[in-house]
């Protein structure tokens, strides 16, 4: 735990140094490489001690709750990307093994201790997202966290579905609702540079959260029904916001427009996965889903979205 906390602390400190310095780049690459190597253990027989160390690295000593200060969020934010890389590599290795044997990845029996530690870590991350989602400046942390949870769920959801079927969907629901509220409020204000920047920040969160919804739905299937169904109205509200011209103020900036186009794609992918995996349970929202799917926006918006 001490080594892991030290590595993430070093990584976060290096982030504040001039990135063009060769020695900074080399040291950051070395730290990230060691972190990835260490965190790969979370997907092997050594999962319990590695996950225990990861939980300890993001908790206040002697307390059950996370440290409330920004420095702790910085440490967590620098821990999650290499953790996500390790999860993706583990999933790809399993996919390759399954392809060679001519089978598909299937649910396997997990270790109760590993499940408990994994659940604790996911709850830690979700707690930090909930605390940050009301702040525009917290959007970068939320994006990092959602992208990690996306990879983590795709890798471990089949073995430990209970870890991802409760707390995570509720966090996604709150996050999408918060983004919808903030984007709607921002659209009513006069468009200016700061408003455009804030809109882009929210759209990045929407894209990452939508990808996470896709992961939960596609990986857990029926086990996601309990809470994921509540997410559909929030997703549809965001799709309708985009289709009604909610990101039109970004069209003057080509780079911003390309970035803004990612959110509609991610939203549609999430809705597609919901309909594909849980379509039988979406009857109350099906009319809105069909209206969104047949809206001309995706043809008019250009190749970035279509």
């Amino acid at each position: 735990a001490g080594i892991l906390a030290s590595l993430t602390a070093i990584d976060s400190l290096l982030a504040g140094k001039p990135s063009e310095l060769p020695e900074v780049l080399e040291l950051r690459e070395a730290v990230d490489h060691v972190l990835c190597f260490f965190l790969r253990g979370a997907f092997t027989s050594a999962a319990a001690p590695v996950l225990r160390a990861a939980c300890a690295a993001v908790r206040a000593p002697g307390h059950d709750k996370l440290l409330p200060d920004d420095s702790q969020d910085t440490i967590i934010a620098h821990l999650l990307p290499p953790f996500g890389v390790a999860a993706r590599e583990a999933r790809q290795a399993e996919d390759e093994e399954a392809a060679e044997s001519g089978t598909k990845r299937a649910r396997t029996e997990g270790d109760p201790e590993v499940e408990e530690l994994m659940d604790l870590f996911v709850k830690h991350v979700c707690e930090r997202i909930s605390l940050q989602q009301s702040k525009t400046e917290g959007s970068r942390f939320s994006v990092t966290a959602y992208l990690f949870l996306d990879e983590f769920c795709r890798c471990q959801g089949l073995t430990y579905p209970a870890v991802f079927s409760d707390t995570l969907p509720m966090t996604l629901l709150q996050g999408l609702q918060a983004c919808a509220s903030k984007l709607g409020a921002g659209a009513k204000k006069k468009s200016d540079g700061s408003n455009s920047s804030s809109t882009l920040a929210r759209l990045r969160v929407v894209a990452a959260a939508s990808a996470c919804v896709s992961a939960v739905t596609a990986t857990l299937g029926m086990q996601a029904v309990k809470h994921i169904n509540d997410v559909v109205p929030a997703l549809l509200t965001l799709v309708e916001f985009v289709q009604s011209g909610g990101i039109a103020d970004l069209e003057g900036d080509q780079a911003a427009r390309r970035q803004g186009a990612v959110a509609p794609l991610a939203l549609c992918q999430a809705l597609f996965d919901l309909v594909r995996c849980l379509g039988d349970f979406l009857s109350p929202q099906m009319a809105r889903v069909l209206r969104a799917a047949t809206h001309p926006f995706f043809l008019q918006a250009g190749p970035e979205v279509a």
Side-chain angles (χ1 to χ4, degrees):
I3 294 174
L4 186 59
S6 297
L7 285 169
T8 50
I10 291 170
D11 199 28
S12 63
L13 286 172
L14 289 172
K17 304 295 182 182
S19 58
E20 65 272 11
L21 295 176
E23 58 270 26
V24 172
L25 287 173
E26 290 176 6
L27 188 52
R28 286 204 67 186
E29 288 178 0
V31 170
D32 285 345
H33 180 75
V34 174
L35 274 172
C36 284
F37 180 80
F38 181 85
L39 291 166
R40 285 192 190 102
F43 310 101
T44 68
S45 57
V50 173
L51 286 167
R52 195 177 298 112
C55 289
V58 298
R59 292 172 64 190
H63 296 81
D64 291 331
K65 293 187 177 180
L66 294 169
L67 289 172
D69 57 14
D70 291 339
S71 63
Q72 190 67 18
D73 282 341
T74 302
I75 290 176
I76 299 171
H78 283 269
L79 172 65
L80 296 184
F83 210 162
V85 171
R88 182 168 62 253
E89 290 176 349
R91 176 170 58 86
Q92 289 172 345
E94 290 183 6
D95 288 341
E96 290 173 3
E97 185 178 340
E100 289 177 0
S101 62
T103 61
K104 291 184 178 180
R105 289 177 65 214
R107 297 188 186 278
T108 56
E109 186 174 349
D111 183 322
E113 182 184 8
V114 170
E115 182 171 20
E116 182 180 353
L117 290 165
M118 199 175 293
D119 184 57
L120 182 61
F121 189 78
V122 168
K123 285 179 177 176
H124 283 342
V125 176
C126 287
E127 180 183 344
R128 297 316 296 181
I129 294 175
S130 297
L131 291 173
Q132 290 286 345
Q133 67 189 8
S134 61
K135 311 172 187 176
T136 301
E137 62 271 19
S139 62
R140 182 174 296 181
F141 177 89
S142 296
V143 169
T144 299
Y146 281 134
L147 292 176
F148 158 73
L149 291 168
D150 175 4
E151 291 291 354
F152 205 39
C153 180
R154 292 180 192 277
C155 180
Q156 298 288 3
L158 285 174
T159 304
Y160 301 103
V163 171
F164 304 96
S165 63
D166 193 5
T167 304
L168 179 53
M170 293 306 296
T171 301
L172 288 167
L173 173 61
Q174 293 166 7
L176 291 170
Q177 287 176 333
C179 284
S181 175
K182 294 291 183 181
L183 286 169
K188 295 177 183 178
K189 299 178 182 178
K190 184 177 180 180
S191 178
D192 55 29
S194 62
N195 187 51
S196 180
S197 176
S198 175
T199 299
L200 263 181
R202 296 293 176 189
L203 288 174
R204 292 189 190 102
V205 176
V206 168
S210 299
C212 203
V213 171
S214 290
V216 171
T217 305
T219 305
L220 303 187
M222 284 292 297
Q223 298 203 45
V225 169
K226 181 179 178 182
H227 294 299
I228 207 70
N229 219 16
D230 297 330
V231 174
V232 179
L235 282 172
L236 287 168
T237 297
L238 286 162
V239 170
E240 290 161 358
F241 167 80
V242 171
Q243 292 177 336
S244 65
I247 61 174
D249 60 322
L250 301 177
E251 292 183 355
D253 184 334
Q254 195 64 24
R257 189 168 181 267
R258 283 196 296 270
Q259 291 182 49
V262 176
L265 286 172
L267 284 165
C268 285
Q269 183 63 49
L271 282 172
F272 172 80
D273 287 329
L274 281 162
V275 172
R276 178 173 61 87
C277 300
L278 302 172
D280 291 344
F281 302 92
L282 301 181
S283 297
Q285 303 296 331
M286 193 54 68
R288 290 180 71 190
V289 170
L290 291 174
R291 280 198 299 271
T294 56
H295 194 282
F297 169 83
F298 298 106
L299 295 178
Q300 298 170 351
E304 293 92 345
V305 175

